[in-house]
Amino acid sequence: SQTIHQWPATLVQPVGSPLSLECTVEGTSNPNLYWYRQAAGRGLQLLFYSVGIGQISSEVPQNLSASRPQDRQFILSSKKLLLSDSGFYLCAWSVSRAYSPLHFGNGTRLTVT
Amino acid sequence: GDSVTQMEGPVTLSEEAFLTINCTYTATGYPSLFWYVQYPGEGLQLLLKATKADDKGSNKGFEATYRKETTSFHLEKGSVQVSDSAVYFCALSEAGGGADGLTFGKGTHLIIQP
């Protein structure tokens, strides 16, 4: 069966510090991968998605970047965090087929102080 | 573009009450429809789905029927429990939407009181 791992679960970082969140998927090949952000009390915002190694699409211009160095690895990064980067970050995967549901990791709670 | 509209809540019910969370959608094509549930501090879990008109998705006592004529996918449960307290998201997926994931509603916060 397929599993998705996302870490760390919680993170407290000062303003201006770098960020690296990692997500890996097991049990499937060539998945579509996604990073979402969920601000407190609000809905989901799609940040990045990837259909293959090295292929990244950005939905919202911001202080963040994403990379996919391996087929089942997806990394969310920032060189300098802002207070507004605080939130709940969710990684998800789907099979590369129309109408497929997303399967989410357990999320990372990021607090920028 | 595609969109999903759902009541944001919070919706507060007593245990064993009947639940309805409304969801309506706008899509250019013929989407698949989903309900996700998010428990506090966790990621989203797929609750149920439907892929064509009049399909009924069901799981854990929850049901939703794909109504193309009213572009709706309302979530229902006959008797809620305290453990059902969570945020519920309605979502759609269109083939023509490419690989950019699902279109989500803003989520409905459900609170069940004992």
Side-chain angles (χ1 to χ4, degrees):
Chain A
S1 63
Q2 301 90 359
T3 56
I4 179 169
H5 302 280
Q6 187 180 341
W7 67 92
T10 60
L11 192 59
V12 180
Q13 293 284 96
V15 168
S17 64
L19 173 73
S20 180
L21 303 180
E22 189 163 343
C23 172
T24 59
V25 180
E26 296 178 358
T28 187
S29 296
N30 194 33
N32 292 337
L33 296 172
Y34 306 85
W35 279 110
Y36 283 84
R37 177 168 59 198
Q38 187 176 27
R42 299 180 65 179
L44 296 163
Q45 180 186 31
L46 178 62
L47 301 176
F48 301 95
Y49 67 92
S50 172
V51 300
I53 296 174
Q55 301 178 61
I56 308 295
S57 296
S58 174
E59 289 294 299
V60 181
Q62 59 211 324
N63 185 43
L64 302 170
S65 62
S67 62
R68 184 170 177 174
Q70 300 181 43
D71 181 46
R72 290 169 290 176
Q73 183 185 28
F74 206 24
I75 298 171
L76 183 69
S77 303
S78 174
K79 293 182 179 178
K80 290 185 178 181
L81 284 169
L82 306 173
L83 285 174
S84 57
D85 292 324
S86 293
F88 193 51
Y89 288 81
L90 291 159
C91 182
W93 72 273
S94 73
V95 297
S96 52
R97 188 175 64 238
Y99 304 116
S100 297
L102 297 184
H103 305 279
F104 286 84
N106 285 331
T108 296
R109 173 73 59 193
L110 172 66
T111 303
V112 182
T113 60
Chain B
D2 298 344
S3 66
V4 175
T5 303
Q6 58 180 117
M7 53 172 67
E8 293 187 27
V11 173
T12 303
L13 296 173
S14 297
E15 204 166 21
E16 299 184 2
F18 185 87
L19 168 70
T20 299
I21 300 178
N22 290 338
C23 171
T24 57
Y25 66 90
T26 302
T28 54
Y30 202 151
S32 288
L33 302 173
F34 308 89
W35 275 102
Y36 283 82
V37 58
Q38 183 181 30
Y39 299 103
E42 298 183 6
L44 278 69
Q45 300 175 27
L46 179 63
L47 182 59
L48 54 84
K49 66 179 181 180
T51 58
K52 61 182 186 295
D54 300 324
D55 264 3
K56 178 185 286 187
S58 62
N59 187 23
K60 299 181 180 179
F62 291 90
E63 294 182 339
T65 300
Y66 191 143
R67 299 292 188 197
K68 187 165 171 36
E69 65 275 13
T70 55
T71 62
S72 65
F73 193 52
H74 304 321
L75 183 68
E76 297 181 336
K77 186 174 185 182
S79 176
V80 293
Q81 305 300 313
V82 172
S83 57
D84 294 327
S85 298
V87 180
Y88 292 81
F89 291 90
C90 185
L92 69 82
S93 173
E94 280 210 275
D100 54 344
L102 308 182
T103 300
F104 285 91
K106 292 186 177 181
T108 300
H109 187 194
L110 175 65
I111 300 170
I112 307 300
Q113 296 177 333

